[in-house]
Amino acid sequence: MKRVLLVLLVAAVAGVFYANYRITSEVEEGLEVSKRQLSLFGQFDWDNVSVSPMGALSITDLSFTPHGTPEEYRVEEVRFETAHLFELYRIAFQLDQREIPEEMHIKVNGFEVDLDSSLFRNMEAQAGPSTLVSRLMTAGCGDRSYFGIDDYMDMGYGVWVADMNIGYRMSHSGTRMNLDFDVVSRGMVRLVTDMAVDLNPTAALNLNTASDAKVSKVKVAITDTGLNERRNDFCAGEADVARADYPDHHQQAWMQVWNREGLKPSDTLVDAYRRFTSGQSDALILAIEPYPSLDANDQSMSMDPTYLSGRLSPSVAVAGEAPESFSVASVEPVDTAAAEESGQDREEPAADPLDITGSLHQHLNQDVRLTLTDGRRVDGRIRGIENGRLQFNRRLHGGTMMVPIPLARVEQARLIEN
């Protein structure tokens, strides 16, 4: 009996060493392949690959230095966690077979990049025009419509350091995937996202069928870790208002941005946002529970805010309080920017001014190209004009989507020749 136990013990130890060796050697081989592939662009290095007896794979001190620049992108550790060593080995085998494991968790600690780097500068250059979200964030902060790299540097940030925890787990007999994202930008903000995705129960579970997923729940918790204070200090100077008055100044400008878009958020959202940005609460929690579940391939969903408020069932809360539902309604656009710009010199267009309203009525049910006030161009068909808004059947992602567009945002309309 003792001999049998000894044989089993030796076999188990040998199995552990073999699994450890097999995993580390395959990871190191993959890293070497990546190093050769990246050699055309820069130098990729790492320090050590190790596997713990508890089933955690760790790669430490990764770095990438692009050719011709002094910049370096650094990561303290990439850590792949499982329940035990043989679970790690099994997951590696499943990935080789293009199968989706039941559960995976990856941690990235200390991802560090200088803000004044070509990576961030290129991302900023390619970002395109401002969005509604960026205009809401910068409302009241001078004349900017988004925060750029130089703005964050003026706020005192020189290096962006992030920690990320990304994972998922399967439930309901493989028909639902729960995804967790926890991203901390040190000294700025923490984003924790909990998402539930429903999978096709009749399809094989592999990487090729994941695109058929439908989103049934999304919850995002935004925790301030220093950005609100620095942003308020910076923007108070840009707006030339007292620091103590800036939260109220920002809130008023924030509401004006909504109004210019022809939108009105409910009091629940307004109050929660005010408490978060003024420092009364350090966390803002947003959630949606769409019914039916959101399908990425659904081209028929209207972007009308009243429709979305009912379809998505949005809710909001601050730290320590129960979530409350909120809505965003369509209202007559209030173009406060026009009044502010009156009396200022403006560049006249090369062509004669276009009678926007008259032209749009003439183009009902015809294919047109709209040029918006932010410079964007959108193609589609005008289905109606009511309450100061176009009902615009926009071409998008190979299909069409009904989108309400405030008349105040339309700069020009032209027929599209077939």
Side-chain angles (χ1 to χ4, degrees):
M1 184 65 181
K2 292 182 178 179
R3 181 174 297 179
V4 173
L5 293 175
L6 181 60
V7 170
L8 291 175
L9 178 61
V10 171
V13 172
V16 169
F17 276 102
Y18 173 76
N20 192 319
Y21 168 76
R22 180 71 181 272
I23 293 170
T24 55
S25 61
E26 287 186 359
V27 171
E28 288 174 344
E29 181 179 346
L31 290 170
E32 289 291 349
V33 171
S34 298
K35 183 174 184 176
R36 290 194 296 269
Q37 293 174 340
L38 291 171
S39 62
L40 294 174
F41 309 100
Q43 180 66 34
F44 174 55
D45 290 301
W46 66 94
D47 179 44
N48 185 51
V49 178
S50 62
V51 175
S52 74
M54 300 304 295
L57 168 66
S58 175
I59 309 170
T60 59
D61 295 332
L62 295 93
S63 65
F64 179 73
T65 305
H67 292 316
T69 72
E71 299 173 6
E72 183 181 33
Y73 311 136
R74 303 166 292 275
V75 178
E76 293 175 7
E77 181 186 34
V78 176
R79 188 176 181 86
F80 186 88
E81 296 188 337
T82 63
H84 49 76
L85 182 60
F86 290 103
E87 176 71 9
L88 179 62
Y89 185 79
R90 187 176 67 85
I91 289 175
F93 177 79
Q94 287 179 306
L95 293 175
D96 285 341
Q97 301 300 311
R98 294 183 62 80
E99 297 178 358
I100 297 181
E102 293 183 357
E103 184 173 0
M104 287 204 304
H105 299 276
I106 298 176
K107 290 185 177 181
V108 179
N109 297 321
F111 179 27
E112 184 176 330
V113 184
D114 292 337
L115 275 180
D116 191 16
S117 65
S118 58
L119 174 66
F120 281 125
R121 293 293 182 184
N122 290 336
M123 290 172 60
E124 182 179 49
Q126 296 174 11
S130 63
T131 64
L132 174 58
V133 173
S134 69
R135 293 193 293 274
L136 288 169
M137 289 179 60
T138 57
C141 190
D143 58 359
R144 59 184 44 77
S145 59
Y146 67 92
F147 286 122
I149 299 302
D150 291 330
D151 293 330
Y152 285 110
M153 294 179 67
D154 287 342
M155 293 179 201
Y157 297 107
V159 179
W160 181 69
V161 184
D163 304 310
M164 291 169 273
N165 190 350
I166 304 170
Y168 73 85
R169 62 191 180 281
M170 304 298 300
S171 61
H172 297 283
S173 302
T175 61
R176 172 168 290 186
M177 177 182 289
N178 295 286
L179 299 101
D180 301 300
F181 304 92
D182 187 346
V183 181
V184 178
S185 296
R186 297 183 190 175
M188 299 180 74
V189 68
R190 178 184 183 184
L191 296 176
V192 179
T193 304
D194 179 16
M195 181 185 301
V197 175
D198 293 329
L199 305 175
N200 186 347
T202 63
L205 185 59
N206 55 48
L207 297 177
N208 295 324
T209 59
S211 60
D212 296 330
K214 296 182 179 181
V215 177
S216 59
K217 181 188 74 172
V218 180
K219 179 180 178 182
V220 179
I222 308 168
T223 302
D224 176 60
T225 60
L227 179 59
N228 274 346
E229 184 71 19
R230 295 198 189 193
R231 183 191 60 202
N232 289 345
D233 288 345
F234 169 75
C235 288
E238 293 294 298
D240 195 23
V241 300
R243 171 61 181 83
D245 297 334
Y246 181 75
D248 289 337
H249 172 82
H250 170 66
Q251 187 79 12
Q252 293 172 8
W254 184 78
M255 285 300 302
Q256 289 175 356
V257 173
W258 284 107
N259 295 155
R260 284 197 295 268
E261 297 290 329
L263 301 171
K264 184 179 186 301
S266 62
D267 292 342
T268 304
L269 178 60
V270 173
D271 181 63
Y273 183 78
R274 176 187 59 79
R275 294 169 66 185
F276 174 66
T277 54
S278 65
Q280 295 180 32
S281 176
D282 65 351
L284 182 69
I285 304 163
L286 300 167
I288 60 171
E289 294 190 34
Y291 182 82
S293 299
L294 288 180
D295 184 351
N297 299 316
D298 183 6
Q299 300 295 333
S300 62
M301 188 175 73
S302 170
M303 297 305 292
D304 180 78
T306 304
Y307 166 81
L308 288 177
S309 295
R311 168 75 189 276
L312 301 181
S313 300
S315 63
V316 65
V318 295
E321 296 188 5
E324 297 184 55
S325 62
F326 72 88
S327 62
V328 177
S330 298
V331 295
E332 186 71 21
V334 179
D335 192 1
T336 56
E340 295 170 359
E341 291 178 0
S342 61
Q344 298 181 6
D345 292 334
R346 300 183 63 185
E347 183 180 351
E348 295 295 330
D352 292 335
L354 184 65
D355 184 350
I356 300 299
T357 303
S359 295
L360 294 178
H361 278 290
Q362 293 173 17
H363 298 333
L364 282 174
N365 297 316
Q366 291 181 293
D367 292 329
V368 300
R369 172 168 294 164
L370 301 181
T371 301
L372 305 183
T373 53
D374 60 8
R376 287 186 299 152
R377 294 180 178 180
V378 293
D379 293 346
R381 179 167 291 193
I382 300 171
R383 293 300 189 186
I385 302 176
E386 55 185 19
N387 299 324
R389 305 172 74 85
L390 295 177
Q391 296 303 319
F392 194 66
N393 202 20
R394 180 182 177 186
R395 298 175 187 169
L396 194 67
H397 305 307
T400 61
M401 178 179 294
M402 189 64 71
V403 179
I405 299 178
L407 285 172
R409 294 186 57 198
V410 178
E411 187 75 27
Q412 192 176 56
R414 293 186 180 276
L415 284 172
I416 297 178
E417 296 182 2
N418 295 326

